[in-house]
Amino acid sequence: MIRSVTDKSQRPSTGRVLVVDDHPQSRGSICEILTHVGHRVEGVSSAIEGLARLGVESFDLIITDLQMPGMSGLEFIRELTKRRHGAQIVMVTAYASVSTAVEAMRHGAFDYIEKPFNVDALEDLVDRALAHGRLIDAAAPSRAGGTGDEPVMMQGSSRKMQALRDRIAQVAPTTETVLITGESGTGKELVARAIHAQSRRAASPLVSLNCPVLSDHLMESELFGHEKGAFTGADAARTGRFELADGGTILLDEVSEIGLPLQAKLLRVLQERTFERVGSSKTQRIDVRVLASSNRDLPAEAKAGRFREDLYYRLAVVPLAVPPLRERLEDVAELAHHFLERAAGRLQRDPCQLDAAARDLLSHYQWPGNVRELENIITRASVLCSSGSIGVGDIRPWLIDGKPQADESHGALPVGTRLDEMERALIEATLDHYSGHRARTAEALGIGIRTLSGKLRGYGYAPREKSFSRAI
């Protein structure tokens, strides 16, 4: 980084900044620069740590590096789009490109800056991002309608959605463990937020852990924390997710991805509400409500020996099944309208309108990516809309095969097809549709790039040489 001398006497107001960078010197430099000019700054060494901090504390600005082990900056930003964090995002990278910048900003980043950068340029960019955030906050009270806290998934008047809302209202006030099941993109995490928001623990933190992004080695430390020197690289003690959630709620997102050895330790926490940090013999007691989610058939996983049966029964005290969008197609028009309004708010312009033919097409499509796929398509159409109206031709190219999947004359799978065969057929068809582009395929399917790559390895596909973050 290069420092130049300019007059800082007329600085705008400062903010709370979270710096996410795995390189200690880079992270320390950014923190020092921004602290020097009055910002309150905290630094963490990974996106996983960043998500943990956002689970218990709010920030005005998040500065994230692009290339980080475990979860890249772009994957981090995508994860942030699922959360109500209220922060502006700036990406710092030594690997900037037009495609990287566009992808980051498409998923909500305010801007990016390339290393090595001029210190004044960083300070000015931070000032602009904070000012932009304050403008949005100032405009928020004037926006029509409620508090904005209602989960997106709860949009919909179908009988299945009414039944789900009724069940949430029954379950939320209790302290029982809830297992939320459903396909990717149906809104399982949002159901968990609704349960927490309607519970007696609503004033305490909801801390989530996205299990598929972590290796077995890191998972135990993330869940239970570790002491300094517990293993190579443990330079300082670390608080785990269960400690962070004490008094509140923890969400184990896609809990089926936790390995068998760690499942036994998780079972003990559920039974006794006690645990030890990695490298410590001190037993800690916690008061945490546990919510878990999975897109897998856990009884089948238990029968196959991949998931502990006793843990399944501990998690599934109260099971909640989230219906896929194809089973409540009557909600599509309402959801589409909601997403059009949200996109318009972000774009600061009047919402675009779907013409009758476009509404009909969306209402007959089978939505393999569920609500997440619908939101992505509506957002994309809103960004590219120039006439104020969205027609069939604007959205058909983004649907798999460009045709409603309910039409049996266009390659629908026969009744009785195994779920794993249907999943593979869908993944391969989507990969072919996007000419082998894994990032776009993962986005269309509503899954992470690592999840997609793992499935493709299982199908015998050779791995690509380029990493996800540099390929898009």
Side-chain angles (χ1 to χ4, degrees):
M1 288 173 284
I2 305 166
R3 176 173 289 280
S4 65
V5 179
T6 59
D7 180 14
K8 300 296 179 189
S9 61
Q10 301 298 322
R11 299 199 62 82
S13 58
T14 58
R16 187 87 172 90
V17 182
L18 177 66
V19 179
V20 184
D21 193 330
D22 66 305
H23 193 277
Q25 287 184 320
S26 176
R27 182 174 67 250
S29 296
I30 295 174
C31 290
E32 180 181 359
I33 290 166
L34 298 182
T35 299
H36 178 72
V37 294
H39 298 293
R40 291 165 294 158
V41 188
E42 181 173 344
V44 295
S45 61
S46 70
I48 299 299
E49 287 185 73
L51 293 173
R53 294 302 302 139
L54 289 165
V56 296
E57 190 168 357
S58 61
F59 294 86
D60 303 306
L61 175 66
I62 300 167
I63 300 176
T64 179
D65 194 21
L66 170 61
Q67 296 286 6
M68 295 184 291
M71 180 186 287
S72 73
L74 282 174
E75 289 172 315
F76 178 44
I77 291 173
R78 288 191 179 93
E79 182 65 24
L80 290 176
T81 62
K82 306 174 187 176
R83 303 164 182 251
R84 295 186 63 84
H85 56 84
Q88 297 299 303
I89 304 172
V90 167
M91 175 172 282
V92 181
T93 176
Y95 308 89
S97 66
V98 173
S99 60
T100 300
V102 170
E103 182 74 356
M105 289 187 283
R106 191 170 71 83
H107 287 277
F110 173 75
D111 206 343
Y112 80 104
I113 188 169
E114 186 175 1
K115 302 175 185 176
F117 51 80
N118 181 285
V119 171
D120 293 329
L122 174 65
E123 293 173 358
D124 291 341
L125 177 55
V126 168
D127 291 342
R128 287 191 290 109
L130 291 172
H132 180 71
R134 285 190 290 271
L135 285 174
I136 292 175
D137 291 341
S142 65
R143 291 175 187 157
T147 64
D149 292 331
E150 182 184 11
V152 173
M153 206 284 303
M154 306 316 294
Q155 296 288 326
S157 305
S158 63
R159 291 174 61 184
K160 290 199 173 187
M161 285 307 301
Q162 291 175 15
L164 180 59
R165 278 193 289 266
D166 291 344
R167 184 58 61 88
I168 289 172
Q170 285 181 301
V171 171
T174 74
T175 60
E176 300 301 331
T177 302
V178 180
L179 176 62
I180 306 164
T181 59
E183 298 173 7
S184 294
T186 51
K188 298 186 294 296
E189 184 177 354
L190 296 173
V191 170
R193 291 186 198 175
I195 293 171
H196 176 73
Q198 297 176 44
S199 74
R200 298 185 181 95
R201 298 169 180 257
S204 299
L206 169 62
V207 177
S208 63
L209 177 64
N210 188 10
C211 299
V213 305
L214 294 172
S215 66
D216 292 340
H217 174 70
L218 293 174
M219 181 73 73
E220 185 173 4
S221 175
E222 286 294 331
L223 284 172
F224 308 124
H226 63 249
E227 297 295 339
K228 182 178 180 180
F231 50 83
T232 303
D235 300 325
R238 181 171 185 171
T239 303
R241 302 299 176 92
F242 273 100
E243 282 184 80
L244 291 171
D246 194 21
T249 306
I250 188 169
L251 169 62
L252 303 176
D253 197 12
E254 303 302 346
V255 68
S256 59
E257 305 307 310
I258 295 178
L260 283 169
L262 195 53
Q263 287 180 25
K265 296 186 178 182
L266 179 58
L267 179 64
R268 180 197 167 199
V269 176
L270 293 175
Q271 291 173 330
E272 303 176 13
R273 302 295 168 173
T274 60
F275 70 95
E276 292 84 34
R277 285 185 176 185
V278 178
S280 172
S281 59
K282 179 182 177 182
T283 299
Q284 300 191 50
R285 182 167 294 276
I286 49 167
D287 172 25
V288 174
R289 184 185 192 177
V290 177
L291 308 178
S293 72
S294 179
N295 60 11
R296 295 182 182 272
D297 182 343
L298 287 187
E301 292 292 298
K303 186 176 181 180
R306 292 187 292 267
F307 199 81
R308 291 180 63 112
E309 187 175 23
D310 49 2
L311 177 57
Y312 166 70
Y313 287 116
R314 279 285 176 179
L315 292 172
V317 176
V318 181
L320 278 182
V322 185
L325 188 53
R326 64 179 174 277
E327 292 182 4
R328 55 185 188 100
L329 290 175
E330 59 267 46
D331 290 334
V332 169
E334 183 177 338
L335 282 163
H337 175 76
H338 177 73
F339 293 137
L340 285 167
E341 294 283 343
R342 287 187 63 191
R346 291 194 297 269
L347 296 169
Q348 298 183 348
R349 66 190 191 199
D350 292 335
C352 297
Q353 302 296 320
L354 291 169
D355 67 24
R359 285 197 302 272
D360 184 66
L361 175 63
L362 295 180
S363 295
H364 288 86
Y365 180 63
Q366 291 295 283
W367 299 108
N370 291 295
V371 178
R372 187 181 299 147
E373 182 185 6
L374 174 60
E375 181 177 17
N376 286 346
I377 286 177
I378 293 297
T379 300
R380 189 180 307 148
S382 296
V383 170
L384 300 177
C385 178
S386 58
S387 65
S389 178
I390 299 171
V392 168
D394 299 315
I395 59 178
R396 188 189 295 278
W398 302 326
L399 306 180
I400 296 175
D401 294 334
K403 299 178 178 66
Q405 299 298 294
D407 185 347
E408 294 186 3
S409 67
H410 290 95
L413 293 171
V415 174
T417 303
R418 287 164 48 94
L419 284 174
D420 56 346
E421 294 172 350
M422 192 160 59
E423 179 185 73
R424 176 169 181 170
L426 174 61
I427 288 174
E428 291 179 339
T430 309
L431 188 68
D432 182 65
H433 176 77
Y434 289 108
S435 303
H437 197 298
R438 297 193 179 195
R440 293 175 184 167
T441 299
E443 181 180 3
L445 292 170
I447 61 178
I449 186 68
R450 293 182 64 183
T451 300
L452 174 64
S453 296
K455 290 182 181 295
L456 291 177
R457 281 195 298 271
Y459 303 154
Y461 282 70
R464 294 168 66 96
E465 292 183 0
K466 292 184 178 180
S467 67
F468 165 57
S469 57
R470 299 191 68 178
I472 53 177

